[in-house]
Amino acid sequence: MLTVSELYIYPIKSLAGIAVDTSIVTSRGLQHDRRLMLVDENNCFFTQREYPEMALLQPFIKNEGLYIHHKQNTVSPLFIPHQSTTNETAVVKIWNDTCEAQLFETFINQWFSQVLGLACRLVFMQDNTIRYADKRYALNNEMTSFADDYPMLMIGNATLDDLNARLPEPVPMNRFRPNIVFNGGKPFLEDKMQEFTINGIDFNGVKPCARCIIPTINQDDSSKSKEPLKTLATYRLKENKILFGQNLVHSGDGIISIGDAINIKKYQPSPI
């Protein structure tokens, strides 16, 4: 039996994630996931790929809004209301996509600029902003947030266990920034899960996740190393891309929680 074992949201793209016990599934993915993003002066997105210290900024969700703490710096935490009080918008860029986003107050931008040591602005994806998942693999014009391409990412615990058995030192799941983690099954079962349901919501595994350098960044101190990509390249390489985890699209909304059963309806061939 497969069951959901962990759930994660990343309220601000490329900052630290938040473990949750239950989450509302929206048309863009899990509620609050990557609806906020830091951009540069040209409104192009920032990630840990270029600025690994972003991992040190830890969000906490409260009823009144979002609090951001620095894991190492003693700077005062930042409070961000769930909705900006400005009416300013800008067209922002994420990879090859552009979409409209709402800007936040100056003091919020100044806080991020100070702690990261670079000029940046925070933006919010409003409900009326439409950004589609990668249409080469999405099924029915599914939407996504400020995530790289898809609404959600899933990894099995057995997959990470298999990797850690090959590494000189094990790595935690947070290196791979999934939304859904599950118990049960063999390593890389997520590769083969083409159609499945969780609590009545239909999910489709549409594309294995090609990994960038972020898994080499320690999410606790932002240090970098060659692992785990060095080891993954020995057995998870296809067309010069290292595959780890499965990107998902879904239809319908509802609630998913830790302990929910995962029911596979259709399998697909493994990519490797």
Side-chain angles (χ1 to χ4, degrees), residues 203-234:
F203 294 85
N204 291 82
V206 291
K207 183 180 179 294
C209 184
R211 308 310 310 210
C212 63
I213 64 167
I214 288 180
T216 67
I217 300 170
N218 185 316
Q219 296 295 297
D220 294 325
D221 62 16
S222 76
S223 62
K224 297 171 67 175
S225 66
K226 294 182 179 180
E227 295 290 7
L229 294 189
K230 180 181 177 181
T231 294
L232 280 171
T234 65

Side-chain angles (χ1 to χ4, degrees), residues 80-88 102-105 108 124:
I80 304 170
H82 284 311
Q83 292 287 341
S84 172
T85 59
T86 78
N87 293 317
E88 297 179 75
Q102 187 176 15
L103 301 176
F104 277 85
E105 293 80 356
I108 291 175
F124 171 70

Side-chain angles (χ1 to χ4, degrees), residues 2-16:
L2 307 182
T3 58
V4 176
S5 60
E6 300 166 51
L7 293 169
Y8 295 95
I9 58 173
Y10 308 87
I12 302 180
K13 182 180 179 67
S14 228
L15 267 59

